[in-house]
Amino acid sequence: MDKDMEMVVNLVEILEKKEVGVQLSVEDQKTVEITVKDKKIDINIVKPANIGKLLKELDLPMGK
């Protein structure tokens, strides 16, 4: 398993164990919420218009 995948798996396990979630914001506007329960990941896109900005801020590749 590569380092990035290992980091994601560890984060998912911690979120589930602690029963917490993660919120990602762009320009002080909540954009994405991530929660984990019963080995299921729930990703709620709160502000779809900011997804491109979020991907750019996180330096993630965007689809063509």
Side-chain angles (χ1 to χ4, degrees):
M1 183 180 319
D2 70 359
K3 286 180 127 182
D4 289 339
M5 182 58 84
E6 186 176 338
M7 183 176 67
V8 169
V9 170
N10 288 339
L11 176 60
V12 166
E13 288 174 352
I14 290 168
L15 291 174
E16 185 171 35
K17 180 179 176 183
K18 300 281 187 179
E19 297 181 0
V20 297
V22 174
Q23 293 180 354
L24 302 175
S25 299
V26 174
E27 298 172 352
D28 293 327
Q29 296 178 8
K30 183 169 50 174
T31 302
V32 176
E33 298 173 327
I34 302 170
T35 56
V36 181
K37 187 173 183 178
D38 298 325
K39 301 288 182 204
K40 295 179 184 172
I41 300 171
D42 180 35
I43 299 174
N44 181 21
I45 299 174
V46 179
K47 186 93 171 158
N50 285 348
I51 292 298
K53 291 178 187 176
L54 178 63
L55 294 176
K56 187 175 179 180
E57 287 292 321
L58 295 173
D59 197 25
L60 296 173
M62 291 192 279
K64 294 181 180 181

